[in-house]
Amino acid sequence: MTKTKNKKTFVLDTNVILHDYRSIYNFEDNDIVIPITVLEELDKFKRGNDQINYHAREFVRELDQISGSDFFLKGAPLGKGRGRLFIQTGVPFSPKMNDSFGEDIPDHRILAIAEYITEKREGEKVVLVSKDMNLRMKARSLGILAEDYKTDQVKDLEVSLNKCIETKEDFSQELIAKLYESGEAGIPVETFFPKEEIKGNNYYILKNGSNSVLACYDPVRKVVRKVEKLNTFGIYPKNSEQAFALDALMNPNISLVALSGKAGTGKTLLALAAALQQNKAFEQIYLARPIVALSNKDLGYLPGDVNEKVSPYMQPLFDNLAVIKHRYNMHSQENRLIEDMLKDERLVISALAYIRGRSLSNVFFIVDEAQNLTPHEVKTIITRAGEGVKMVFTGDIDQIDSPYLDRQSNGLSHLFDRMQGQDIFAHVHLEKGERSYLAEVASNLL
Protein backbone atom coordinates (compact mmCIF):
# COMPACT_ATOMS: atom_id res chain seq x y z
CA MET A 1 0.00 0.00 0.00
CA THR A 2 1.06 3.60 -0.61
CA LYS A 3 2.90 5.15 2.30
CA THR A 4 1.65 8.53 3.55
CA LYS A 5 2.50 10.85 6.42
CA ASN A 6 -0.99 10.62 7.91
CA LYS A 7 -1.89 7.36 9.58
CA LYS A 8 -4.85 5.47 8.15
CA THR A 9 -7.18 2.72 9.28
CA PHE A 10 -8.02 -0.10 6.88
CA VAL A 11 -11.14 -2.23 7.33
CA LEU A 12 -10.64 -5.60 5.61
CA ASP A 13 -13.29 -7.62 3.80
CA THR A 14 -13.30 -11.43 3.99
CA ASN A 15 -12.17 -11.89 0.39
CA VAL A 16 -8.92 -10.00 1.06
CA ILE A 17 -7.91 -12.55 3.70
CA LEU A 18 -9.01 -15.49 1.54
CA HIS A 19 -6.86 -14.00 -1.25
CA ASP A 20 -3.81 -13.43 1.00
CA TYR A 21 -3.90 -14.62 4.60
CA ARG A 22 -0.84 -12.48 5.43
CA SER A 23 -2.46 -9.32 4.06
CA ILE A 24 -2.60 -7.75 7.54
CA TYR A 25 1.19 -7.28 7.36
CA ASN A 26 1.09 -5.30 4.12
CA PHE A 27 -0.33 -1.96 5.31
CA GLU A 28 2.86 -0.44 6.74
CA ASP A 29 2.31 1.50 9.99
CA ASN A 30 -1.46 1.83 9.57
CA ASP A 31 -4.06 0.17 11.79
CA ILE A 32 -6.17 -2.76 10.59
CA VAL A 33 -9.76 -3.48 11.64
CA ILE A 34 -11.28 -6.92 11.08
CA PRO A 35 -15.11 -6.90 11.36
CA ILE A 36 -16.44 -9.73 13.52
CA THR A 37 -18.54 -10.75 10.51
CA VAL A 38 -15.31 -11.60 8.68
CA LEU A 39 -14.40 -14.11 11.40
CA GLU A 40 -17.87 -15.64 11.05
CA GLU A 41 -17.41 -16.00 7.31
CA LEU A 42 -13.90 -17.42 7.66
CA ASP A 43 -15.32 -20.10 9.93
CA LYS A 44 -17.39 -21.38 6.99
CA PHE A 45 -14.28 -21.66 4.83
CA LYS A 46 -12.02 -23.53 7.28
CA ARG A 47 -12.96 -26.99 6.00
CA GLY A 48 -11.92 -28.06 2.52
CA ASN A 49 -8.88 -28.63 0.30
CA ASP A 50 -9.00 -25.51 -1.86
CA GLN A 51 -6.53 -22.65 -1.47
CA ILE A 52 -9.14 -20.38 0.13
CA ASN A 53 -9.75 -23.03 2.79
CA TYR A 54 -6.03 -23.14 3.51
CA HIS A 55 -5.91 -19.33 3.75
CA ALA A 56 -8.87 -19.30 6.15
CA ARG A 57 -7.17 -21.81 8.45
CA GLU A 58 -3.79 -20.08 8.31
CA PHE A 59 -5.28 -16.68 9.13
CA VAL A 60 -7.12 -18.05 12.16
CA ARG A 61 -3.83 -19.60 13.37
CA GLU A 62 -2.05 -16.28 12.78
CA LEU A 63 -4.74 -14.45 14.71
CA ASP A 64 -4.48 -16.88 17.60
CA GLN A 65 -0.71 -16.30 17.85
CA ILE A 66 -0.81 -12.50 17.91
CA SER A 67 -3.88 -12.03 20.09
CA GLY A 68 -3.52 -11.49 23.84
CA SER A 69 -5.88 -11.27 26.80
CA ASP A 70 -6.83 -7.65 26.05
CA PHE A 71 -6.98 -8.13 22.28
CA PHE A 72 -10.61 -7.06 21.94
CA LEU A 73 -9.98 -3.92 24.02
CA LYS A 74 -6.61 -2.64 22.82
CA GLY A 75 -5.90 -4.64 19.70
CA ALA A 76 -2.59 -6.37 18.96
CA PRO A 77 0.69 -4.98 17.58
CA LEU A 78 1.62 -6.33 14.14
CA GLY A 79 5.35 -5.85 14.56
CA LYS A 80 8.02 -3.21 14.14
CA GLY A 81 7.07 -0.53 11.63
CA ARG A 82 3.48 -1.76 11.48
CA GLY A 83 0.24 -0.67 13.10
CA ARG A 84 -2.18 -2.54 15.36
CA LEU A 85 -4.85 -5.07 14.54
CA PHE A 86 -8.35 -4.67 15.99
CA ILE A 87 -11.47 -6.80 15.93
CA GLN A 88 -14.70 -4.79 15.75
CA THR A 89 -17.85 -6.45 17.04
CA GLY A 90 -21.20 -5.90 15.36
CA VAL A 91 -22.91 -2.51 15.38
CA PRO A 92 -26.52 -1.45 14.70
CA PHE A 93 -27.35 -0.28 11.21
CA SER A 94 -27.48 3.50 10.93
CA PRO A 95 -30.62 5.13 9.46
CA LYS A 96 -28.66 5.67 6.24
CA MET A 97 -27.69 2.01 6.13
CA ASN A 98 -31.27 0.91 6.80
CA ASP A 99 -32.62 3.15 4.06
CA SER A 100 -30.16 1.83 1.48
CA PHE A 101 -29.27 -1.71 2.56
CA GLY A 102 -31.83 -2.95 5.05
CA GLU A 103 -31.20 -6.65 4.37
CA ASP A 104 -29.12 -8.23 7.13
CA ILE A 105 -26.38 -10.03 5.18
CA PRO A 106 -22.59 -10.29 5.86
CA ASP A 107 -21.63 -7.65 3.26
CA HIS A 108 -23.99 -5.13 4.81
CA ARG A 109 -22.79 -5.87 8.33
CA ILE A 110 -19.21 -5.20 7.13
CA LEU A 111 -20.43 -1.94 5.58
CA ALA A 112 -22.10 -0.95 8.86
CA ILE A 113 -18.84 -1.51 10.73
CA ALA A 114 -16.84 0.45 8.13
CA GLU A 115 -19.30 3.32 8.51
CA TYR A 116 -19.08 3.10 12.32
CA ILE A 117 -15.24 3.14 12.29
CA THR A 118 -15.28 6.11 9.90
CA GLU A 119 -17.42 8.11 12.34
CA LYS A 120 -15.58 6.86 15.43
CA ARG A 121 -12.17 7.83 14.05
CA GLU A 122 -13.24 11.25 12.84
CA GLY A 123 -10.38 13.18 11.26
CA GLU A 124 -8.56 9.97 10.37
CA LYS A 125 -8.69 8.38 6.92
CA VAL A 126 -10.65 5.12 7.09
CA VAL A 127 -10.65 2.85 4.01
CA LEU A 128 -12.64 -0.32 3.35
CA VAL A 129 -10.44 -2.78 1.43
CA SER A 130 -12.33 -5.34 -0.63
CA LYS A 131 -11.80 -7.33 -3.81
CA ASP A 132 -15.56 -7.19 -4.39
CA MET A 133 -16.21 -4.33 -6.84
CA ASN A 134 -19.90 -4.22 -5.95
CA LEU A 135 -19.20 -3.87 -2.22
CA ARG A 136 -16.74 -1.06 -2.95
CA MET A 137 -19.46 0.70 -4.94
CA LYS A 138 -21.94 0.30 -2.07
CA ALA A 139 -19.39 1.72 0.35
CA ARG A 140 -18.82 4.79 -1.80
CA SER A 141 -22.57 5.39 -2.00
CA LEU A 142 -22.46 5.81 1.80
CA GLY A 143 -19.49 8.18 1.64
CA ILE A 144 -17.06 5.46 2.81
CA LEU A 145 -13.63 5.36 1.16
CA ALA A 146 -13.05 2.01 -0.53
CA GLU A 147 -10.29 0.43 -2.61
CA ASP A 148 -9.06 -2.88 -3.97
CA TYR A 149 -6.27 -4.85 -2.28
CA LYS A 150 -3.30 -3.58 -4.29
CA THR A 151 -0.26 -5.25 -2.75
CA ASP A 152 0.16 -7.99 -5.37
CA GLN A 153 -1.14 -6.07 -8.38
CA VAL A 154 1.12 -5.69 -11.42
CA LYS A 155 1.73 -1.97 -11.95
CA ASP A 156 3.23 -1.90 -15.45
CA LEU A 157 1.35 -4.80 -17.03
CA GLU A 158 1.57 -3.58 -20.63
CA VAL A 159 5.33 -3.09 -20.25
CA SER A 160 5.69 -6.69 -19.04
CA LEU A 161 3.61 -7.97 -21.99
CA ASN A 162 5.58 -5.98 -24.56
CA LYS A 163 9.02 -6.88 -23.21
CA CYS A 164 8.77 -10.62 -23.83
CA ILE A 165 8.92 -10.18 -27.64
CA GLU A 166 10.67 -7.16 -29.13
CA THR A 167 10.86 -6.14 -32.78
CA LYS A 168 14.00 -4.37 -33.99
CA GLU A 169 13.40 -2.46 -37.24
CA ASP A 170 16.24 -1.43 -39.60
CA PHE A 171 18.53 -3.93 -37.93
CA SER A 172 21.95 -4.55 -39.44
CA GLN A 173 21.61 -6.66 -42.59
CA GLU A 174 25.12 -7.96 -41.96
CA LEU A 175 24.23 -9.22 -38.50
CA ILE A 176 21.02 -10.85 -39.76
CA ALA A 177 23.05 -12.68 -42.39
CA LYS A 178 25.67 -13.63 -39.81
CA LEU A 179 22.99 -15.07 -37.53
CA TYR A 180 21.61 -17.18 -40.40
CA GLU A 181 25.12 -18.47 -41.09
CA SER A 182 26.15 -19.25 -37.50
CA GLY A 183 22.71 -20.21 -36.19
CA GLU A 184 23.01 -22.18 -32.95
CA ALA A 185 26.74 -21.51 -32.68
CA GLY A 186 25.88 -18.19 -31.06
CA ILE A 187 27.19 -14.67 -31.49
CA PRO A 188 28.19 -12.46 -28.50
CA VAL A 189 25.32 -10.25 -27.43
CA GLU A 190 27.48 -7.11 -27.57
CA THR A 191 27.70 -7.54 -31.35
CA PHE A 192 23.92 -7.19 -31.60
CA PHE A 193 22.94 -4.82 -28.81
CA PRO A 194 26.09 -2.90 -27.74
CA LYS A 195 24.22 -0.33 -25.60
CA GLU A 196 21.60 -2.59 -24.01
CA GLU A 197 21.77 -4.60 -20.82
CA ILE A 198 19.99 -7.85 -21.66
CA LYS A 199 19.06 -10.61 -19.24
CA GLY A 200 16.64 -13.49 -19.21
CA ASN A 201 15.36 -15.32 -22.26
CA ASN A 202 14.36 -12.35 -24.42
CA TYR A 203 12.90 -13.04 -27.88
CA TYR A 204 13.44 -10.76 -30.87
CA ILE A 205 12.22 -10.28 -34.43
CA LEU A 206 15.17 -8.63 -36.18
CA LYS A 207 14.19 -6.87 -39.41
CA ASN A 208 15.88 -5.09 -42.28
CA GLY A 209 13.46 -4.30 -45.07
CA SER A 210 12.04 -7.59 -46.32
CA ASN A 211 14.69 -9.62 -44.49
CA SER A 212 14.12 -10.83 -40.95
CA VAL A 213 15.21 -13.47 -38.49
CA LEU A 214 13.82 -14.84 -35.23
CA ALA A 215 16.33 -14.67 -32.41
CA CYS A 216 16.70 -15.28 -28.70
CA TYR A 217 19.15 -14.12 -26.06
CA ASP A 218 20.59 -17.15 -24.29
CA PRO A 219 21.47 -16.07 -20.73
CA VAL A 220 23.39 -19.28 -20.03
CA ARG A 221 25.90 -18.83 -22.87
CA LYS A 222 25.34 -15.05 -23.03
CA VAL A 223 24.85 -15.10 -26.79
CA VAL A 224 22.14 -14.30 -29.31
CA ARG A 225 21.01 -17.36 -31.27
CA LYS A 226 18.64 -18.02 -34.13
CA VAL A 227 15.23 -19.48 -33.25
CA GLU A 228 14.18 -22.32 -35.54
CA LYS A 229 10.56 -23.21 -36.33
CA LEU A 230 10.29 -26.67 -34.81
CA ASN A 231 7.87 -29.40 -35.84
CA THR A 232 6.82 -30.66 -32.41
CA PHE A 233 4.78 -33.87 -32.20
CA GLY A 234 2.86 -32.97 -35.36
CA ILE A 235 2.37 -29.30 -34.41
CA TYR A 236 4.19 -26.75 -36.57
CA PRO A 237 4.30 -23.08 -35.48
CA LYS A 238 2.13 -20.86 -37.70
CA ASN A 239 3.68 -17.55 -36.65
CA SER A 240 6.71 -16.10 -34.89
CA GLU A 241 4.99 -16.04 -31.48
CA GLN A 242 4.29 -19.77 -31.64
CA ALA A 243 7.88 -20.40 -32.77
CA PHE A 244 9.15 -18.53 -29.70
CA ALA A 245 6.74 -20.43 -27.45
CA LEU A 246 7.94 -23.82 -28.74
CA ASP A 247 11.56 -22.69 -28.39
CA ALA A 248 10.98 -21.92 -24.70
CA LEU A 249 8.99 -25.12 -24.15
CA MET A 250 11.69 -27.29 -25.73
CA ASN A 251 14.67 -25.56 -24.09
CA PRO A 252 15.99 -27.79 -21.24
CA ASN A 253 17.63 -24.76 -19.58
CA ILE A 254 14.25 -23.07 -19.09
CA SER A 255 12.35 -24.76 -16.27
CA LEU A 256 9.50 -22.23 -15.93
CA VAL A 257 7.45 -20.91 -18.87
CA ALA A 258 4.48 -18.51 -18.99
CA LEU A 259 2.32 -18.41 -22.12
CA SER A 260 -0.25 -15.63 -22.16
CA GLY A 261 -2.67 -14.64 -24.91
CA LYS A 262 -6.27 -14.66 -26.03
CA ALA A 263 -8.27 -17.78 -26.83
CA GLY A 264 -7.25 -19.56 -30.01
CA THR A 265 -3.59 -18.56 -30.03
CA GLY A 266 -2.49 -22.14 -29.33
CA LYS A 267 -1.07 -21.81 -25.80
CA THR A 268 -2.28 -25.13 -24.38
CA LEU A 269 -1.84 -27.03 -27.64
CA LEU A 270 1.79 -25.95 -27.98
CA ALA A 271 2.54 -26.83 -24.35
CA LEU A 272 0.99 -30.28 -24.69
CA ALA A 273 2.77 -30.98 -27.99
CA ALA A 274 6.13 -29.97 -26.49
CA ALA A 275 5.51 -32.19 -23.47
CA LEU A 276 4.71 -35.21 -25.66
CA GLN A 277 7.77 -34.54 -27.82
CA GLN A 278 9.91 -34.74 -24.66
CA ASN A 279 8.07 -37.67 -23.08
CA LYS A 280 11.27 -39.69 -22.67
CA ALA A 281 12.88 -36.92 -20.61
CA PHE A 282 10.10 -36.92 -17.98
CA GLU A 283 8.45 -39.63 -15.92
CA GLN A 284 5.04 -38.01 -16.20
CA ILE A 285 3.17 -35.29 -18.08
CA TYR A 286 0.59 -33.60 -15.88
CA LEU A 287 -1.98 -31.29 -17.46
CA ALA A 288 -4.24 -29.53 -14.97
CA ARG A 289 -6.52 -26.55 -14.66
CA PRO A 290 -8.22 -24.81 -11.73
CA ILE A 291 -11.95 -25.28 -11.36
CA VAL A 292 -13.94 -22.09 -10.89
CA ALA A 293 -17.33 -23.50 -9.95
CA LEU A 294 -20.49 -21.87 -11.29
CA SER A 295 -22.36 -19.52 -8.95
CA ASN A 296 -19.54 -19.92 -6.41
CA LYS A 297 -20.77 -23.44 -5.61
CA ASP A 298 -18.47 -26.26 -4.60
CA LEU A 299 -18.09 -29.35 -6.79
CA GLY A 300 -20.09 -31.22 -4.20
CA TYR A 301 -23.22 -29.53 -5.52
CA LEU A 302 -22.78 -31.26 -8.88
CA PRO A 303 -24.21 -34.77 -9.49
CA GLY A 304 -22.06 -37.87 -9.96
CA ASP A 305 -18.76 -39.20 -8.68
CA VAL A 306 -15.46 -37.28 -8.70
CA ASN A 307 -14.67 -38.02 -12.35
CA GLU A 308 -18.17 -37.07 -13.49
CA LYS A 309 -18.03 -33.80 -11.54
CA VAL A 310 -14.66 -32.80 -13.01
CA SER A 311 -15.12 -34.08 -16.58
CA PRO A 312 -16.93 -30.99 -18.03
CA TYR A 313 -14.15 -28.70 -16.77
CA MET A 314 -11.41 -30.92 -18.24
CA GLN A 315 -12.98 -31.33 -21.70
CA PRO A 316 -11.01 -28.44 -23.29
CA LEU A 317 -7.79 -30.21 -22.32
CA PHE A 318 -8.95 -33.45 -23.95
CA ASP A 319 -9.92 -31.39 -27.02
CA ASN A 320 -6.31 -30.21 -27.36
CA LEU A 321 -5.10 -33.78 -27.05
CA ALA A 322 -7.56 -34.80 -29.79
CA VAL A 323 -6.12 -32.13 -32.12
CA ILE A 324 -2.68 -33.70 -31.74
CA LYS A 325 -4.00 -37.24 -32.21
CA HIS A 326 -5.77 -36.22 -35.42
CA ARG A 327 -2.43 -35.17 -36.91
CA TYR A 328 -1.54 -38.83 -37.18
CA ASN A 329 -3.12 -41.99 -38.49
CA MET A 330 -5.39 -43.72 -35.98
CA HIS A 331 -3.01 -46.70 -35.76
CA SER A 332 0.21 -44.67 -35.82
CA GLN A 333 3.05 -45.09 -33.35
CA GLU A 334 2.31 -41.60 -31.95
CA ASN A 335 -1.33 -42.39 -31.18
CA ARG A 336 -0.38 -45.70 -29.59
CA LEU A 337 2.12 -43.84 -27.42
CA ILE A 338 -0.56 -41.38 -26.26
CA GLU A 339 -3.00 -44.19 -25.44
CA ASP A 340 -0.32 -46.12 -23.53
CA MET A 341 0.68 -43.00 -21.58
CA LEU A 342 -2.94 -42.32 -20.61
CA LYS A 343 -3.41 -45.96 -19.56
CA ASP A 344 -0.20 -46.02 -17.49
CA GLU A 345 -0.94 -42.56 -16.03
CA ARG A 346 2.25 -41.16 -17.50
CA LEU A 347 -0.08 -38.60 -19.11
CA VAL A 348 -2.60 -37.26 -16.59
CA ILE A 349 -5.34 -34.70 -17.22
CA SER A 350 -6.91 -33.59 -13.98
CA ALA A 351 -8.28 -30.78 -11.84
CA LEU A 352 -5.54 -28.72 -10.21
CA ALA A 353 -7.02 -29.25 -6.75
CA TYR A 354 -5.98 -32.92 -6.84
CA ILE A 355 -2.25 -32.12 -6.84
CA ARG A 356 -2.41 -30.25 -3.53
CA GLY A 357 0.09 -31.63 -1.06
CA ARG A 358 2.05 -33.50 -3.74
CA SER A 359 5.77 -33.11 -4.26
CA LEU A 360 6.56 -33.01 -7.98
CA SER A 361 9.73 -34.56 -9.41
CA ASN A 362 10.75 -35.28 -13.01
CA VAL A 363 7.38 -34.03 -14.30
CA PHE A 364 6.38 -31.83 -17.23
CA PHE A 365 3.63 -29.90 -15.47
CA ILE A 366 1.17 -27.72 -17.44
CA VAL A 367 -1.25 -25.45 -15.59
CA ASP A 368 -3.98 -24.24 -17.93
CA GLU A 369 -6.24 -21.22 -17.23
CA ALA A 370 -3.66 -19.89 -14.77
CA GLN A 371 -5.29 -16.45 -14.86
CA ASN A 372 -7.88 -17.86 -12.45
CA LEU A 373 -5.22 -18.47 -9.78
CA THR A 374 -4.12 -16.00 -7.13
CA PRO A 375 -0.43 -15.02 -6.89
CA HIS A 376 -0.17 -17.08 -3.70
CA GLU A 377 -1.62 -20.15 -5.44
CA VAL A 378 0.92 -19.86 -8.26
CA LYS A 379 3.72 -19.55 -5.72
CA THR A 380 2.42 -22.60 -3.83
CA ILE A 381 2.41 -24.69 -7.02
CA ILE A 382 5.90 -23.64 -8.13
CA THR A 383 7.44 -24.22 -4.70
CA ARG A 384 6.35 -27.89 -4.94
CA ALA A 385 8.74 -28.40 -7.85
CA GLY A 386 11.48 -30.94 -7.24
CA GLU A 387 14.39 -32.00 -9.44
CA GLY A 388 13.79 -32.41 -13.16
CA VAL A 389 10.51 -30.48 -13.26
CA LYS A 390 9.43 -28.20 -16.07
CA MET A 391 6.43 -25.99 -15.29
CA VAL A 392 4.28 -24.21 -17.84
CA PHE A 393 1.51 -21.75 -16.95
CA THR A 394 -0.91 -20.76 -19.72
CA GLY A 395 -3.85 -18.38 -19.70
CA ASP A 396 -5.70 -15.35 -21.00
CA ILE A 397 -5.59 -12.43 -18.55
CA ASP A 398 -8.60 -10.90 -20.30
CA GLN A 399 -10.82 -13.91 -19.56
CA ILE A 400 -10.91 -14.22 -15.78
CA ASP A 401 -13.72 -16.23 -14.20
CA SER A 402 -12.90 -15.51 -10.56
CA PRO A 403 -14.97 -12.58 -9.22
CA TYR A 404 -12.05 -11.30 -7.09
CA LEU A 405 -9.24 -11.29 -9.66
CA ASP A 406 -8.46 -8.93 -12.54
CA ARG A 407 -5.77 -8.34 -15.21
CA GLN A 408 -3.36 -6.92 -12.65
CA SER A 409 -3.95 -9.11 -9.60
CA ASN A 410 -4.17 -12.64 -11.05
CA GLY A 411 -1.42 -15.20 -10.57
CA LEU A 412 -0.35 -15.42 -14.24
CA SER A 413 0.30 -11.66 -14.54
CA HIS A 414 2.07 -11.73 -11.17
CA LEU A 415 4.25 -14.63 -12.38
CA PHE A 416 5.61 -13.07 -15.56
CA ASP A 417 6.00 -9.66 -13.92
CA ARG A 418 8.08 -10.98 -10.99
CA MET A 419 10.07 -13.65 -12.84
CA GLN A 420 11.03 -11.49 -15.80
CA GLY A 421 14.78 -11.49 -16.40
CA GLN A 422 15.50 -14.79 -14.60
CA ASP A 423 17.73 -17.25 -16.48
CA ILE A 424 15.37 -20.19 -15.88
CA PHE A 425 12.23 -18.34 -17.00
CA ALA A 426 10.66 -17.38 -20.33
CA HIS A 427 7.44 -15.54 -21.09
CA VAL A 428 5.79 -15.42 -24.52
CA HIS A 429 2.65 -13.38 -25.18
CA LEU A 430 0.68 -14.71 -28.16
CA GLU A 431 -1.66 -12.32 -29.96
CA LYS A 432 -2.51 -13.87 -33.31
CA GLY A 433 -5.37 -16.37 -33.21
CA GLU A 434 -4.88 -19.50 -35.29
CA ARG A 435 -8.14 -21.43 -34.82
CA SER A 436 -9.86 -19.92 -37.85
CA TYR A 437 -10.50 -16.60 -39.57
CA LEU A 438 -13.99 -16.64 -38.03
CA ALA A 439 -12.62 -17.12 -34.49
CA GLU A 440 -10.01 -14.37 -35.02
CA VAL A 441 -12.59 -11.83 -36.24
CA ALA A 442 -14.99 -12.69 -33.42
CA SER A 443 -12.22 -12.40 -30.80
CA ASN A 444 -11.25 -8.96 -32.05
CA LEU A 445 -14.71 -7.48 -32.67
CA LEU A 446 -17.22 -9.05 -30.28
Side-chain angles (χ1 to χ4, degrees):
M1 294 296 169
T2 305
K3 191 170 184 178
T4 62
K5 292 180 181 179
N6 298 322
K7 196 171 182 179
K8 302 176 186 176
T9 297
F10 291 96
V11 180
L12 303 194
D13 189 8
T14 314
N15 50 56
V16 174
I17 293 165
L18 293 177
H19 179 81
D20 178 4
Y21 74 90
R22 290 187 60 81
S23 57
I24 55 175
Y25 298 108
N26 293 328
F27 292 86
E28 296 180 339
D29 60 350
N30 302 296
D31 288 344
I32 308 294
V33 174
I34 304 291
I36 194 72
T37 305
V38 169
L39 296 186
E40 288 183 285
E41 289 199 290
L42 289 175
D43 200 49
K44 300 173 185 176
F45 284 98
K46 285 192 300 185
R47 294 173 184 81
N49 297 318
D50 288 337
Q51 196 68 27
I52 57 173
N53 307 124
Y54 169 78
H55 281 205
R57 292 191 293 268
E58 287 301 304
F59 179 77
V60 172
R61 291 190 184 102
E62 198 77 22
L63 201 61
D64 186 54
Q65 288 180 1
I66 65 175
S67 61
S69 57
D70 56 354
F71 179 42
F72 282 86
L73 294 174
K74 298 180 180 179
L78 291 170
K80 187 178 180 181
R82 299 189 177 99
R84 297 182 72 85
L85 176 68
F86 298 88
I87 300 294
Q88 177 59 54
T89 54
V91 298
F93 282 21
S94 69
K96 194 175 182 180
M97 273 289 302
N98 274 319
D99 290 342
S100 300
F101 312 112
E103 188 181 2
D104 186 8
I105 59 174
D107 275 3
H108 295 165
R109 293 200 291 272
I110 291 170
L111 273 181
I113 288 174
E115 183 187 49
Y116 170 78
I117 296 295
T118 301
E119 293 174 355
K120 183 179 178 182
R121 299 197 175 196
E122 188 178 358
E124 188 175 320
K125 195 172 183 180
V126 176
V127 184
L128 172 64
V129 182
S130 174
K131 299 199 69 62
D132 185 338
M133 290 182 286
N134 198 43
L135 183 61
R136 296 201 300 267
M137 193 63 67
K138 288 181 178 181
R140 290 168 190 148
S141 74
L142 296 171
I144 302 169
L145 296 175
E147 63 181 47
D148 194 359
Y149 178 63
K150 300 176 182 177
T151 296
D152 53 13
Q153 288 188 346
V154 177
K155 294 180 181 179
D156 299 315
L157 180 60
E158 297 308 318
V159 173
S160 295
L161 291 174
N162 294 331
K163 270 188 176 182
C164 61
I165 298 177
E166 296 184 48
T167 301
K168 302 282 186 181
E169 301 282 357
D170 299 321
F171 200 79
S172 167
Q173 176 64 44
E174 182 184 352
L175 288 177
I176 290 177
K178 193 172 183 180
L179 191 56
Y180 267 107
E181 291 170 9
S182 59
E184 289 294 331
I187 302 170
V189 67
E190 294 81 8
T191 308
F192 282 85
F193 313 117
K195 296 181 181 179
E196 295 183 29
E197 181 184 348
I198 300 177
K199 57 182 180 179
N201 295 279
N202 286 26
Y203 286 100
Y204 299 94
I205 302 174
L206 307 178
K207 292 184 175 182
N208 184 296
S210 59
N211 297 315
S212 66
V213 65
L214 305 183
C216 176
Y217 172 60
D218 186 332
V220 177
R221 293 183 293 152
K222 301 189 185 306
V223 295
V224 174
R225 59 178 175 80
K226 181 185 174 186
V227 172
E228 304 287 352
K229 289 189 174 182
L230 305 170
N231 188 334
T232 310
F233 216 84
I235 302 299
Y236 187 79
K238 294 184 176 181
N239 55 53
S240 57
E241 299 159 3
Q242 290 192 351
F244 292 146
L246 281 175
D247 182 84
L249 292 164
M250 295 296 294
N251 190 335
N253 294 322
I254 300 175
S255 53
L256 180 61
V257 178
L259 300 182
S260 59
K262 61 187 178 183
T265 50
K267 305 179 297 295
T268 309
L269 180 65
L270 295 169
L272 182 54
L276 289 168
Q277 184 70 34
Q278 301 172 84
N279 72 87
K280 293 181 180 179
F282 299 93
E283 291 180 4
Q284 189 180 53
I285 297 169
Y286 207 109
L287 183 56
R289 57 163 33 187
I291 292 175
V292 181
L294 298 175
S295 303
N296 294 323
K297 289 186 176 179
D298 187 270
L299 278 179
Y301 284 84
L302 299 176
D305 60 21
V306 170
N307 291 329
E308 290 172 326
K309 292 173 190 288
V310 169
S311 180
Y313 295 96
M314 299 301 108
Q315 192 55 49
L317 303 183
F318 284 102
D319 291 344
N320 278 282
L321 186 60
V323 170
I324 294 174
K325 292 174 72 175
H326 289 156
R327 298 276 174 167
Y328 299 100
N329 181 279
M330 185 185 300
H331 303 293
S332 67
Q333 180 180 349
E334 289 81 4
N335 273 331
R336 287 199 303 272
L337 172 65
I338 291 173
E339 292 300 325
D340 288 344
M341 290 182 71
L342 286 168
K343 183 180 178 181
D344 299 339
E345 293 192 347
R346 286 183 292 133
L347 172 58
V348 177
I349 297 177
S350 179
L352 187 59
Y354 297 150
I355 68 107
R356 297 189 192 284
R358 285 189 56 183
S359 180
L360 303 170
S361 297
N362 205 26
V363 172
F364 195 112
F365 190 58
I366 304 168
V367 180
D368 194 34
E369 302 290 346
Q371 78 277 5
N372 287 321
L373 297 172
T374 67
H376 191 275
E377 286 174 316
V378 168
K379 179 180 178 180
T380 301
I381 293 166
I382 295 174
T383 52
R384 287 207 180 101
E387 290 298 321
V389 169
K390 180 146 189 164
M391 284 197 165
V392 181
F393 290 80
T394 73
D396 179 1
I397 60 172
D398 290 313
Q399 287 194 356
I400 296 173
D401 300 314
S402 172
Y404 301 130
L405 298 175
D406 57 31
R407 291 181 94 242
Q408 293 175 290
S409 64
N410 70 87
L412 182 60
S413 295
H414 190 78
L415 171 65
F416 59 67
D417 179 68
R418 295 299 178 91
M419 293 297 293
Q420 193 174 50
Q422 298 299 313
D423 292 356
I424 60 168
F425 175 73
H427 169 220
V428 179
H429 183 64
L430 298 97
E431 293 187 345
K432 188 176 180 182
E434 296 292 352
R435 279 181 181 165
S436 67
Y437 178 68
L438 171 61
E440 175 73 2
V441 171
S443 179
N444 290 330
L445 298 182
L446 297 181

